Amino acid sequence: MKPLTYYEQITKMKNKADKYDIRLRIVKSSKQIGIKPTARLFDTTPKTVRKWLRRYDQERLSGLNELPRIPLSCPHKTSPAMEKKVVKLRKQYPFMGAKRLKREHNLPCSHEAMRRILNEHGLIKKRRKKHKRKKDLSKIKKHWKLFGQFTVDTKDLKDMPHYWPQMKALKLPKYQFTAREVRSGLMFLGFSNEKSAASACLFARLLCEHLRKCKVDLAKTKFQTDNGSEFIGCFRQDRTRDGFEKIVEGFGSKHKRIPVRAWSYNSDVETVHRTIEDEFYDLENFENIRDFHKRIGSYQSYYNLVRANMNKDYLSPWQIIKKEMPKMDISLARLPPLMLDWLGPDYATKEELLLRGYDLPCYPYVFYF
């Protein structure tokens, strides 16, 4: 087997001490047997042997270390004035990245060079992962006042493959109204075949009546919704402008709308929409609409009374409420899902009938538990 050449040995060596050792042996050998014999012995060129011998004579042992290979000059390096300008702009606009700074301020240097400059000055901060930001927000919400805010939203039930055939065959509800208390995670559900202002107002009124009956101070409660037409009114502006808001304010509460396209503001209720789809709609099979009401009622009771929430120290909504308000009655968490289409003109108010636009047949509202 042919022995490795000096070049092959040096390129394969990762340890600097090993490279230093072979160069020292070359120097000692050249002093003992000469330059050319040493070159033949280590399978290298006389030029290489002379190089290390010269460095050893000039700098002694330190001359056998490798010199840095970075260039002594870089003609296209960013000037100090441009570096200062990039740093100044970044501090002035900390939300702009390198590409945006270059684009909006017409800077001549490349965005890679700008990113290097920002990194050298410690102006690039590692973005926090979404799950870490979510945990931070959960810690903040743990200190919110109980019943301080309900987040209300609708869920379209027509886009779920397992539920949709049953919905068409059994005439099950097409829309779900969800209200979730932020601090405890307590959930209330309502169902309707219309995503209308009438249904939203009826859901709000029934929910507020239930909370007031359970001695919840609605004057300190805020209801947050998005800007859907069911929450901000309908086209009949002369009669029913802001129906949901008027219903809520009638009970002494406040109505808050999230900014347009700021869906993350409703993250609490959107989270439960995903959960109920995975744990209920994608699994259950129904016999009729009354069987649907029984099953969804059982799931709502399980969610409010039993199901542990990982983001709330593995406590159920009722356990959190009982811890904060020991005298609260359990009937608060046992409101059955509200089948809004079952409540006809005898129950709805005049304003809600105007929102509905027509009269529905009156059915007795019975809880199938």
Side-chain angles (χ1 to χ4, degrees):
M1 184 176 178
K2 185 180 178 180
L4 294 177
T5 65
Y6 166 79
Y7 175 78
E8 291 173 338
Q9 293 182 63
I10 288 295
T11 53
K12 289 187 177 182
M13 287 178 180
K14 302 298 182 182
N15 193 344
K16 292 182 180 180
D18 295 334
K19 294 180 181 181
Y20 174 85
D21 181 67
I22 192 173
R23 290 165 187 159
L24 181 59
R25 287 193 286 116
I26 287 175
V27 170
K28 289 182 178 180
S29 176
S30 65
K31 287 182 177 293
Q32 293 175 359
I33 63 176
I35 293 176
K36 289 185 178 180
T38 299
R40 287 192 295 270
L41 179 63
F42 287 90
D43 201 358
T44 185
T45 63
K47 183 179 179 180
T48 302
V49 177
R50 289 191 186 98
K51 180 182 74 170
W52 293 116
L53 186 58
R54 183 180 66 254
R55 290 192 184 178
Y56 177 80
D57 292 338
Q58 292 175 354
E59 304 179 32
R60 310 308 293 175
L61 295 176
S62 61
L64 301 180
N65 294 319
E66 286 188 356
L67 297 177
R69 297 178 180 273
I70 59 174
L72 299 178
S73 63
C74 183
H76 58 276
K77 183 179 180 181
T78 308
S79 64
M82 181 55 63
E83 285 195 20
K84 289 181 180 179
K85 185 175 182 180
V86 171
V87 172
K88 181 180 178 181
L89 287 172
R90 173 68 171 187
K91 290 181 178 179
Q92 187 176 356
Y93 306 103
F95 54 88
M96 289 189 182
K99 289 185 177 180
R100 189 174 175 186
L101 284 172
K102 174 179 172 58
R103 183 177 65 251
E104 296 195 6
H105 298 278
N106 298 319
L107 299 176
C109 52
S110 66
H111 66 272
E112 289 90 352
M114 292 173 58
R115 190 176 289 112
R116 175 186 58 79
I117 294 170
L118 297 177
N119 192 36
E120 288 176 354
H121 287 80
L123 296 176
I124 295 181
K125 295 182 179 179
K126 191 176 181 180
R127 187 182 292 271
R128 289 177 62 79
K129 299 291 185 180
K130 184 177 179 181
H131 69 276
K132 292 184 178 180
R133 298 199 307 267
K134 189 175 181 180
K135 287 182 179 179
D136 293 341
L137 186 58
S138 299
K139 290 179 181 179
I140 294 174
K141 289 181 178 178
K142 287 180 182 179
H143 301 286
W144 284 21
K145 188 176 180 180
L146 194 62
F147 301 114
Q149 177 174 309
F150 279 86
T151 306
V152 185
D153 198 9
T154 58
K155 177 176 176 60
D156 194 334
L157 305 179
K158 297 181 293 183
D159 59 352
M160 293 181 287
H162 185 76
Y163 178 78
W164 184 83
Q166 302 182 76
M167 182 194 74
K168 299 295 286 186
L170 304 176
K171 298 182 179 180
L172 301 181
K174 299 177 181 177
Y175 299 98
Q176 172 184 303
F177 288 82
T178 311
R180 194 180 189 212
E181 201 277 317
V182 176
R183 171 65 179 86
S184 64
L186 188 68
M187 176 181 68
F188 297 105
L189 301 176
F191 296 91
S192 175
N193 285 315
E194 293 181 349
K195 190 167 69 171
S196 62
S199 298
C201 288
L202 186 55
F203 178 68
R205 186 161 64 86
L206 292 170
L207 178 58
C208 289
E209 287 178 353
H210 173 71
L211 295 174
R212 186 169 62 181
K213 184 179 179 181
C214 294
K215 299 180 181 179
V216 174
D217 188 1
L218 293 177
K220 299 179 181 179
T221 302
K222 177 170 56 180
F223 288 84
Q224 177 180 283
T225 67
D226 58 18
N227 294 280
S229 60
E230 67 272 21
F231 297 121
I232 65 174
C234 68
F235 65 93
R236 304 179 68 175
Q237 299 181 15
D238 56 327
R239 296 180 177 179
T240 56
R241 186 62 175 171
D242 298 333
F244 185 91
E245 184 174 353
K246 289 184 179 179
I247 294 293
V248 169
E249 290 180 350
F251 286 87
S253 300
K254 295 180 180 179
H255 178 219
K256 175 187 176 183
R257 301 173 187 170
I258 66 174
V260 178
R261 298 184 181 276
W263 298 289
S264 60
Y265 280 57
N266 268 1
S267 59
D268 287 280
V269 71
E270 293 293 348
T271 300
V272 80
H273 281 172
R274 175 62 187 270
T275 302
I276 196 173
E277 182 173 343
D278 293 341
E279 298 182 357
F280 181 78
Y281 289 112
D282 288 346
L283 301 177
E284 295 291 341
N285 296 310
F286 312 104
E287 297 178 2
N288 49 49
I289 191 170
R290 298 194 175 193
D291 182 53
F292 168 81
H293 187 239
K294 289 180 182 179
R295 291 175 183 270
I296 191 61
S298 298
Y299 178 79
Q300 181 178 306
S301 296
Y302 159 74
Y303 187 93
N304 288 337
L305 300 174
V306 179
R307 187 182 183 277
N309 192 326
M310 180 181 66
N311 292 322
K312 298 185 183 297
D313 298 328
Y314 293 94
L315 298 176
S316 68
W318 175 245
Q319 288 174 324
I320 296 174
I321 294 172
K322 200 65 178 176
K323 185 178 179 181
E324 298 284 336
M325 298 181 174
K327 296 183 179 180
M328 182 62 68
D329 191 84
I330 196 172
S331 60
L332 170 71
R334 301 190 65 180
L335 175 70
L338 303 171
M339 307 299 287
L340 304 174
D341 291 341
W342 292 0
L343 301 171
D346 291 347
Y347 194 88
T349 64
K350 186 180 293 185
E351 291 78 7
E352 290 163 354
L353 289 176
L354 290 174
L355 285 170
R356 195 180 298 270
Y358 54 86
D359 293 343
L360 294 178
C362 180
Y363 294 101
Y365 191 80
V366 181
F367 298 138
Y368 298 97
F369 275 67

